[in-house]
Amino acid sequence: MKSKIFFSILIFGLLGCEDFLDNTPETTITPQGFFQNQNQFNEAVTAIYNTNRGLMNGAHWRFGENRSDNSSFQYNPNDRGGIPNEEVDNFLLLSSNTNIGNYWNSAYSGISRANFALANIDRITFTDTDEPEIRRGEILFLRSWFYFNLVQLYGDVPLVLTAGNTPDEILSDEFLKRTPIAEVYAKILDDMDTAIAVLPTKEATASGRATRGAALMLKAKMHMVLQEFGTARDLLEQMQGYSLQAEYANIFDPENKNNNELVFEIQYSFELGQGSDLLTRFVPFNSNLDILGENGPASSRGGQNQPTQNLIDLYDPTDARFLHNISFYDDGVTNEPWMSKFNFGFEDLGNNAQDVNFPMFRYADALLMLAECYHEAGGGDPIPLLEQVRGRSLENGTLSAAEQANLEQTIADERRRELAFENHRWFDLLRTGEAVATMTAHGVAQKAQKSTVPAEAYTNIRTLLGIPLGQVEEFGFTQNEGW
């Protein structure tokens, strides 16, 4: 029974995309039978991108931002259905929490789709002889991205690299055994070398697809997690052809999609029926029609990803990043901060259907990463890079003498200001070893500021999530310590 259930999950992961529903009905549709021509194969690759888009729009920001000191939530005493989400912020998670399971399932759905595509790529005849290797690079980039986040969030995870065509294969150690983190990194680093070698530049790539620059940046992020800053530096120095936008808000403007600062961007399109809900989740629940206009009223479960006072205080009030990223809603009783980074006025687009893309990798992040690598491993001066990024948003971007004397903290603070609400903060805290200390202090501040924070919140700060309870019970995975 276990093999049948797990096998069906893998199959569903590939066939769950609505793109596949346009095929001629058959009694049984299998991945092996689907891959017949180039168009079908490209649909399968698109399905992997779709999985990533769903992950970025949902579970990823809860763990990248809400689990950090960047954001919290607006407590609504009249709607308590969002408690599983609040538990992410308060560090009150159980392994049965739906957010833990949703992230795992989404990531492995993407991995399954990638594995089936890789298993069938050599069966397809392509009109362009370069295309199969480019598609292979895209698939390896996306599969490596899923694994990179899985190991940071869960630790040892099953390293599944084959499609799993039979129940016997599904019951093998590859599917049912947690692989040590070091082995996962060894594999995805090797896969990124392949991707870097075959992926084209941004100029030669359709919008939204993985490029050589994106692969260089992802591999550099992996080496930075492994504290291999010299190797990461060398990769980042190979990124060519990118530049900062003159104005901070222009990076995210739907009229300026896929601009030259964006190394890899999650694509959303209202016109194609693939809009996002990045605005409607985050407006204060008590704002009614005041922000959303005719697309309101605001949801009773709004006010998520709410900026913390600690983040607000980190900004200079004249900083263009502060003025764009954070707004305030005053209902006469409270003045609620809310995350307005993706608010470009969508009165005519309909609720939950924004046209704004989401920046997964951008050049400002690459410059800040390179500054950190120079600080840790030498080979360049980090200060001009920091001042280049800061100078776009402040009239005077020069680092003070105190900031230059404490570059480690300066870099961390600049990353918070620049990349707020782009899902980097929790992973930065993990990488720098500051997660427990930072979140303990954050918990003290939250309890002092909010009477609604439970007494037990922030008392058990674990850097790894639990393996989803359903996976442990069904397939016998060992659980992480303390879960």
Side-chain angles (χ1 to χ4, degrees):
M1 176 62 73
K2 289 181 180 180
S3 66
K4 291 179 181 178
I5 293 173
F6 199 76
F7 187 56
S8 68
I9 290 172
L10 291 175
I11 298 300
F12 178 78
L14 183 64
L15 297 183
C17 176
E18 63 184 29
D19 293 342
F20 291 5
L21 299 182
D22 295 331
N23 291 288
T24 302
E26 298 177 14
T27 302
T28 301
I29 299 176
T30 67
Q32 295 83 352
F34 175 78
F35 294 96
Q36 298 297 317
N37 56 53
Q38 181 175 333
N39 287 338
Q40 288 177 324
F41 187 85
N42 288 337
E43 288 177 0
V45 176
T46 299
I48 310 171
Y49 282 99
N50 288 346
T51 302
N52 186 49
R53 181 173 62 190
L55 192 61
M56 294 301 102
N57 197 47
H60 196 69
W61 69 262
R62 293 199 184 280
F63 295 121
E65 292 290 343
N66 222 197
R67 193 166 169 79
S68 81
D69 54 342
N70 270 4
S71 81
S72 184
F73 61 91
Q74 184 187 10
Y75 183 87
N76 186 351
N78 298 317
D79 185 346
R80 308 309 304 133
I83 289 176
N85 301 329
E86 297 174 5
E87 289 171 344
V88 175
D89 181 67
N90 287 327
F91 284 80
L92 293 174
L93 289 168
L94 300 176
S95 62
S96 57
N97 185 283
T98 54
N99 291 291
I100 291 178
N102 288 345
Y103 197 105
W104 177 284
N105 293 337
S106 294
Y108 274 105
S109 175
I111 289 166
S112 174
R113 294 179 179 196
N115 287 339
F116 276 110
L118 288 170
N120 287 277
I121 192 170
D122 293 330
R123 299 175 50 198
I124 306 301
T125 300
F126 291 88
T127 56
D128 185 337
T129 56
D130 293 332
E131 185 168 353
E133 289 310 301
I134 293 173
R135 295 290 169 262
R136 192 187 308 274
E138 290 180 77
I139 296 165
L140 291 176
F141 169 82
L142 290 165
R143 187 176 72 177
S144 297
W145 167 248
F146 294 136
Y147 273 123
F148 179 53
N149 292 314
L150 282 169
V151 294
Q152 290 182 92
L153 291 173
Y154 299 92
D156 300 345
V157 295
L159 180 60
V160 183
L161 303 173
T162 59
N165 293 307
T166 68
D168 285 342
E169 291 178 4
I170 300 301
L171 286 173
S172 68
D173 284 348
E174 179 185 21
F175 287 85
L176 297 180
K177 183 183 74 173
R178 294 178 64 186
T179 303
I181 293 174
E183 292 182 31
V184 178
Y185 272 111
K187 176 56 181 171
I188 61 179
L189 286 169
D190 183 65
D191 284 346
M192 292 313 300
D193 285 336
T194 301
I196 290 167
V198 300
L199 286 173
T201 63
K202 179 170 181 171
E203 292 76 13
T205 307
S207 296
R209 291 193 176 274
T211 63
R212 184 173 186 270
L216 285 166
M217 197 165 170
L218 178 54
K219 190 164 191 272
K221 286 180 177 290
M222 295 176 187
H223 282 293
M224 289 179 72
V225 169
L226 296 171
Q227 306 296 296
E228 297 167 351
F229 293 99
T231 305
R233 173 199 62 208
D234 296 343
L235 292 163
L236 292 166
E237 287 180 338
Q238 296 178 50
M239 294 184 62
Q240 303 296 324
Y242 299 97
S243 60
L244 298 180
Q245 292 287 293
E247 302 290 336
Y248 184 76
N250 287 350
I251 305 166
F252 318 102
D253 193 327
E255 299 298 324
N256 193 32
K257 288 184 176 183
N258 303 298
N259 59 70
N260 211 40
E261 182 167 340
L262 294 162
V263 180
F264 187 74
E265 190 174 16
I266 308 297
Q267 305 292 306
Y268 292 97
S269 171
F270 171 75
E271 184 178 351
L272 297 178
Q274 297 173 340
S276 72
D277 60 357
L278 296 175
L279 171 63
T280 54
R281 289 187 183 196
F282 302 147
V283 297
F285 70 80
N286 58 323
S287 61
N288 198 13
L289 302 174
D290 292 343
I291 298 173
L292 296 178
E294 64 183 23
N295 299 307
S299 168
S300 63
R301 208 163 296 168
Q304 300 180 62
N305 216 11
Q306 184 180 47
T308 62
Q309 189 62 47
N310 178 266
L311 177 62
I312 292 169
D313 293 342
L314 188 65
Y315 284 104
D316 184 299
T318 66
D319 193 323
R321 299 169 296 191
F322 169 68
L323 296 172
H324 180 71
N325 291 341
I326 301 173
S327 295
F328 296 85
Y329 175 72
D330 188 351
D331 66 354
V333 179
T334 62
N335 193 24
E336 295 289 344
W338 63 282
M339 194 278 278
S340 56
K341 191 164 200 164
F342 305 107
N343 177 20
F344 287 88
F346 300 98
E347 292 83 358
D348 300 326
L349 294 186
N351 202 14
N352 296 329
Q354 289 178 266
D355 205 36
V356 178
N357 286 353
F358 187 87
M360 199 169 95
F361 296 162
R362 59 184 176 93
Y363 188 55
D365 183 13
L367 291 176
L368 293 172
M369 290 166 60
L370 186 56
E372 187 172 345
C373 291
Y374 284 159
H375 175 62
E376 296 288 346
D381 187 352
I383 293 176
L385 299 178
L386 292 165
E387 292 181 341
Q388 181 183 355
V389 173
R390 180 189 291 191
R392 169 174 59 184
S393 299
L394 282 168
E395 185 174 347
N396 180 10
T398 304
L399 269 63
S400 68
E403 288 175 319
Q404 294 185 39
N406 188 9
L407 274 179
E408 185 173 313
Q409 187 62 51
T410 300
I411 291 168
D413 289 345
E414 207 57 44
R415 289 186 62 80
R416 279 189 81 187
R417 297 185 187 100
E418 179 70 25
L419 303 171
F421 311 112
E422 295 177 44
N423 305 332
H424 296 278
R425 178 58 175 170
W426 173 253
F427 298 102
D428 283 350
L429 290 173
L430 289 178
R431 175 173 52 78
T432 57
E434 296 295 327
V436 173
T438 297
M439 297 312 297
T440 298
H442 173 68
V444 172
Q446 287 289 92
K447 289 177 179 179
Q449 294 164 10
K450 297 181 176 182
S451 61
T452 55
V453 179
E456 63 273 21
Y458 303 101
T459 58
N460 186 16
I461 296 172
R462 296 165 286 191
T463 55
L464 291 179
L465 298 176
I467 304 300
L469 179 62
Q471 294 287 321
V472 172
E473 292 179 338
E474 188 68 46
F475 305 115
F477 291 118
T478 57
Q479 183 58 276
N480 283 330
E481 184 177 355
W483 288 87

